[in-house]
Amino acid sequence: TLKALAAFELAYTDVKNAFEYFLKNNNNGRPIIIASHSQGSTHTIRLLKEYFDGKPLGKKLVAAYVVGMAIDPANFQNIKPCEQPNETGCICAWRTFEKGYIPPFVEKEKYNSIVTNPLSWSNETIEVSRKNNEGSLLYNFNKVIPNVAGAINHNGVLWTPKPKFFGNVMIRTQNYHIADYNLYYVSIRKNAALRVGQFFEPIEH
């Protein structure tokens, strides 16, 4: 509806103004990591196109973690999906569902969304067991629990077998949207640090 479009436009204006303030007052020319989720990822796609894709600021992009929304790879001319754990200037994205479940809205999508495996970070390793997940952050954000969720790339979405933790019998949903970051918390932190380290590595000739 027009009201919904107007609301999104207003929200994006806030994001854009905040980002411009950051660039002017806080960034000081340093490299940039962007992390977003859900509606925030919708705004981030637009922000990346306006400020980074084929623009000088693109050279400052360590990585963009644009999570929880479908992303058409054709949206961008120069920013590519991340294919390796230490790649920079690229996009990581995923939407988490229970293994075997494809939501109706995904079935209707006309393209395969970008999917990054948040445990392997490699397009060559598309399935990783929960036993290789060092830590998920659950509920009150005060406890990190290992071996909760695996990760499987599957046709535009990320699958995980039902997460394993005390109380998981209460989970009746097959859509883990709310936990896209939480399930892979430690892995994401380590990957961001790895990409920053790579960004600052001297270029070898």
Side-chain angles (χ1 to χ4, degrees), residues 33-82:
I33 291 176
I34 292 181
S36 61
H37 187 250
S38 198
Q39 181 183 320
S41 289
T42 302
H43 300 314
T44 293
I45 292 168
R46 187 170 169 184
L47 193 80
L48 288 170
K49 289 172 75 169
E50 289 188 18
Y51 286 87
F52 292 88
D53 193 22
K55 310 289 172 59
L57 200 58
K59 294 178 181 178
K60 294 289 186 181
L61 182 65
V62 175
Y65 298 83
V66 191
V67 179
M69 297 296 284
I71 303 180
D72 185 349
N75 272 342
F76 305 98
Q77 293 184 330
N78 295 280
I79 303 175
K80 306 299 183 187
C82 297

Side-chain angles (χ1 to χ4, degrees), residues 144-160:
V144 174
I145 305 174
N147 310 134
V148 168
I152 305 164
N153 291 36
H154 182 82
N155 293 343
V157 300
L158 186 76
W159 276 352
T160 177

Side-chain angles (χ1 to χ4, degrees), residues 4-23:
L5 290 172
F8 262 86
E9 192 65 32
L10 180 64
Y12 179 71
T13 299
D14 275 351
V15 170
K16 182 176 179 176
N17 288 344
F19 185 66
E20 290 193 348
Y21 181 91
F22 163 75
L23 289 177

Side-chain angles (χ1 to χ4, degrees), residues 160-177:
T160 177
K162 188 174 181 180
K164 303 285 185 183
F165 60 94
F166 181 75
N168 74 330
V169 292
M170 302 300 291
I171 294 182
R172 286 173 169 56
T173 181
Q174 293 178 293
N175 184 342
Y176 302 132
H177 176 77

Side-chain angles (χ1 to χ4, degrees), residues 7 35 45 57 64 67 81 92 108 125 186:
I45 292 168
L57 200 58
V67 179
C92 298
K108 294 176 183 177
T125 305
V186 170

